[in-house]
Amino acid sequence: MSHTRATHLTRRGILAAGGALGLGAALAACGGDKGTSGSEGQAKPGKSGAWSFKDDRNKTVKLDAVPTKIVAFTGVAAALYDYGIEVKGVFGPTKTKDGKADVQAGDMDVSKLTVFGNVFNQFNVEQYAAFAPEVLISTTFDPKGTLWYVPLESAAKIAKLAPSVAVSVYDRPLTGPLQRMWELAESLGADTRSAKVTDAKKRFEAAAARLRKAAKSRPEIRVMAGSAAQDAFYVSGTNLSADLEYFKSLGVNFVEPSESAKKSTGGWFETLSWENVDKYPADVIMMDDRSVALQPADITKATWKKLPAVKAGQVIPRSSEPILSYDKCAPLLENLAKAIETAKKVG
C-alpha cells in the first residue's frame, strides 16, 4: 500500500504512513506534561516484590513480581534499553530490508530480538502467545489510548494474553513522555541515578537551553517539518506532536499549515502534491527519518531540488517518533539548534 493511500484510512494508518506526525515526537520548553498519570507502588531498582504501574490511560497493571518477559513497541524497547532494561520481544520497525537495525531500534542488537511484526498491521499472535509475555508496552497517539502498532483487528486477542501499559505522546510536550518513560524504567529496575542516566538528562537540559537561545537569536529562521512519499509531501503541524510542541515552546519559528488544511488528517498535517511543495517558505527543513518515509537523498522531484532550503543544504533529519530516553532526545535538540544557528535566511 502506498503512503498516500494509507492516509485515506484511519488516523493510525495516517500516522504509520509517514505523513505526519510528530509522534512523540510527529517536537515544545522544559515545561510539564498535559494530563500524565503518576506511577504507583513501583518496585525499587534491584529489589524483588510485587510490581504495579499506572499508565497514561489511568489503568494500573499489577503483577506478583517485576516483569522480565516484556514485549514492547520497538521504540519503547530502545528507550528502556538506554536505561539498562533489556526487552527480548518487540513489534514495530526493527530491521531494515538488509537485516540491519532500523532507526527506531536505537542501540539494541536486533539479531537477539524476537520480532512479532516488523511493519504496520503485522503482529504474529500465535508467536506472541508462545512467548508467554508478562506485559506489553507501547506508546499511544490518540486520546483513547490506542496502543501504537497493535493491529486493531487482533487487539482483543492480544489483550487477553498479557496486560498492557501505554505511554502517551499525544498532544503533550516531549518532556512529559520522557519523564513517564524514566518512571517506567525505574519501576522495572533501572538505576535512574547512575552517572549514565543523570549525565544524559543534564545533556538534554543543556541542549534545551541551547535551542532556546538559538531560536531567540534567530527568530527570522523558519523551520518546516516534512515527510515524503513517492506521490505526496506532508507538512506537519505542531499542535499534536510531542517533539514539535516542545521545540515550539522553546521558541522555534515553525511553518504551520492552516487548520482547514489539516482537517482531513485529524489535525496532524497537510498533504501537498509535489507540484505544490513550495507552498510554504522555509529556511530549514526537518525530514522524517523513519524507514516508512522517503529519505531526502532518494527524492528525485525537480520541485524539491529547487526549494531554497534544499539548495542551501539546510535539510536535517527529524525523529518523528523519538526514542523516549534523554540519551536519544538530547541530540535532536542539539541538531536543530545547530541548524538554526548556522542557517542562511533563504525562505
Side-chain angles (χ1 to χ4, degrees):
M1 178 181 292
S2 72
H3 296 326
T4 47
R5 285 177 186 168
T7 62
H8 293 304
L9 302 176
T10 64
R11 183 176 303 174
R12 284 163 57 82
I14 289 172
L15 294 175
L21 345 314
L23 303 43
L27 294 206
C30 284
D33 178 24
K34 291 185 266 184
T36 57
S37 304
S39 55
E40 62 179 40
Q42 297 181 342
K44 298 299 181 183
K47 293 186 178 181
S48 59
W51 178 83
S52 69
F53 190 85
K54 187 175 182 180
D55 74 0
D56 291 338
R57 302 169 298 180
N58 287 319
K59 293 184 177 181
T60 300
V61 175
K62 296 182 179 181
L63 298 175
D64 292 337
V66 177
T68 56
K69 296 200 74 175
I70 302 168
V71 172
F73 172 69
T74 301
V76 170
L80 292 175
Y81 183 88
D82 287 345
Y83 289 112
I85 305 299
E86 294 196 28
V87 175
K88 296 180 173 60
V90 299
F91 56 97
T94 306
K95 299 179 181 179
T96 59
K97 292 180 180 178
D98 57 4
K100 296 180 180 179
D102 187 275
V103 65
Q104 292 185 256
D107 295 332
M108 294 188 296
D109 183 348
V110 296
S111 68
K112 296 180 180 180
L113 298 173
T114 299
V115 184
F116 301 106
N118 198 61
V119 299
F120 195 69
N121 264 347
Q122 181 186 88
F123 196 113
N124 190 321
V125 180
E126 291 73 22
Q127 183 186 22
Y128 177 68
F131 186 82
E134 294 174 296
V135 66
L136 179 149
I137 309 173
S138 190
T139 48
T140 181
F141 287 93
D142 63 52
K144 296 180 179 179
T146 308
L147 293 172
W148 187 232
Y149 263 77
V150 173
L152 295 178
E153 297 77 11
S154 53
K157 292 180 180 179
I158 293 169
K160 292 178 181 179
L161 298 171
S164 64
V165 168
V167 174
S168 179
V169 288
Y170 174 74
D171 194 19
R172 59 196 61 196
L174 183 59
T175 45
L178 273 172
Q179 175 66 21
R180 293 294 285 141
M181 192 63 70
W182 183 92
E183 292 171 359
L184 176 60
E186 185 177 51
S187 81
L188 293 169
D191 181 3
T192 54
R193 294 168 182 79
S194 69
K196 178 183 177 182
V197 174
T198 57
D199 287 350
K201 190 171 184 179
K202 289 177 183 177
R203 180 184 174 187
F204 177 87
E205 291 166 350
R210 178 182 175 184
L211 180 54
R212 186 191 297 276
K213 182 179 179 180
K216 185 177 181 179
S217 64
R218 302 294 308 276
E220 75 281 8
I221 300 301
R222 299 190 74 202
V223 179
M224 179 167 67
S227 185
Q230 289 291 349
D231 46 6
F233 184 84
Y234 310 97
V235 180
S236 293
T238 62
N239 292 340
L240 300 178
S241 300
D243 60 335
L244 296 181
E245 278 198 15
Y246 184 57
F247 297 164
K248 181 174 67 173
S249 76
L250 291 174
V252 176
N253 180 13
F254 277 104
V255 168
E256 292 283 2
S258 67
E259 292 303 315
S260 59
K262 295 185 294 182
K263 189 174 182 180
S264 64
T265 65
W268 286 97
F269 61 95
E270 177 180 358
T271 304
L272 300 176
S273 67
W274 281 107
E275 289 73 22
N276 295 318
V277 72
D278 60 353
K279 179 177 179 179
Y280 298 106
D283 303 292
V284 174
I285 302 176
M286 304 174 69
M287 290 295 289
D288 189 349
D289 69 354
R290 295 174 304 158
S291 55
V292 294
L294 185 65
Q295 296 305 301
D298 300 318
I299 301 175
T300 59
K301 306 291 184 180
T303 49
W304 164 260
K305 294 181 178 181
K306 291 179 180 178
L307 292 178
V310 175
K311 293 172 69 175
Q314 294 174 178
V315 178
I316 64 172
R318 175 198 172 202
S319 295
S320 298
E321 295 182 56
I323 294 172
L324 297 172
S325 70
Y326 292 105
D327 180 74
K328 292 297 182 293
C329 286
L332 307 183
L333 279 72
E334 293 167 346
N335 293 341
L336 181 54
K338 181 180 179 180
I340 294 173
E341 291 165 351
T342 60
K344 298 176 182 179
K345 180 63 182 175
V346 295

